[in-house]
Amino acid sequence: MPHSFGYRARTRHMFKRGFKDHGPVKLSTFLINYHIGDIVDIKANAAQQKGMPHKYYHGRTGIVYNVTPSAVGVIVYKVVGNRYLEKRVNLRVEHIRHSKCRQEFLDRVKANTQAHAVAKEKGERINLRRIPALPREARTVSTAQNAPQTIVPVPYETTI
């Protein structure tokens, strides 16, 4: 049972840096532009303790609502009881990154737009909806030229 109940209690593995990812924060982190409405992932960077999120928000995704020179405000929805609370957290840019959760959707929109334009040019209709993966086709196995084989495990032998 833990005896400390501090702000960063039980974050030993959560806040650690990645393999070969130790040391100061890369300068490219500060060159990324964030705009209001951007979807960002919150991932605490242990190299910078200022503006670090609480452990609850680590790994969450939110929407940027405020931008300052060195930090951003992010809206995150938290489940409390039977409702969602809108939490507004202010984080330094070292602890956030652009989310890729919408990238597949945006790629699909672009591909659908091009496919629709080509179909309209040809004067035909096209189905742009996603189709779930269908079950595999049924097949029969013949034993005419394919005699059944009994498979048994090979006994273990040491090579020493």
Side-chain angles (χ1 to χ4, degrees):
M1 284 177 48
H3 295 287
S4 60
F5 299 96
Y7 199 73
R8 289 179 62 168
R10 292 174 287 289
T11 59
R12 176 180 182 176
H13 302 293
M14 184 186 296
F15 286 166
K16 74 173 184 181
R17 302 292 302 275
F19 179 66
K20 289 189 176 179
D21 191 30
H22 301 281
V25 181
K26 295 181 175 68
L27 290 179
S28 60
T29 305
F30 303 101
L31 298 176
I32 298 171
N33 294 320
Y34 294 99
H35 304 286
I36 294 174
D38 285 353
I39 299 174
V40 293
D41 293 332
I42 301 171
K43 185 178 181 219
N45 188 338
Q48 175 59 268
Q49 286 84 36
K50 290 182 180 177
M52 187 181 260
H54 185 265
K55 62 191 170 193
Y56 172 83
Y57 301 105
H58 182 79
R60 308 275 170 175
T61 301
I63 300 170
V64 174
Y65 77 93
N66 186 29
V67 179
T68 64
S70 62
V72 295
V74 180
I75 295 174
V76 182
Y77 289 96
K78 182 177 183 179
V79 177
V80 178
N82 61 348
R83 64 201 188 279
Y84 283 98
L85 291 184
E86 180 187 272
K87 306 292 280 190
R88 292 176 178 247
V89 291
N90 295 306
L91 311 166
R92 284 177 78 118
V93 292
E94 295 93 328
H95 307 297
I96 62 169
R97 63 188 61 176
H98 283 291
S99 180
K100 296 186 175 125
C101 65
R102 268 179 72 83
Q103 195 57 47
E104 189 269 335
F105 169 73
L106 295 174
D107 294 343
R108 194 158 41 84
V109 168
K110 191 179 289 186
N112 284 354
T113 305
Q114 291 175 348
H116 180 69
V118 170
K120 190 171 183 180
E121 203 173 83
K122 293 178 181 176
E124 58 187 27
R125 290 181 59 83
I126 185 171
N127 182 18
L128 299 175
R129 295 179 178 171
R130 290 176 289 173
I131 300 170
L134 298 172
R136 289 181 291 183
E137 294 292 325
R139 56 179 71 95
T140 57
V141 178
S142 173
T143 58
Q145 301 285 330
N146 185 18
Q149 300 176 6
T150 304
I151 299 174
V152 295
V154 178
Y156 176 74
E157 296 179 13
T158 63
T159 56
I160 298 175

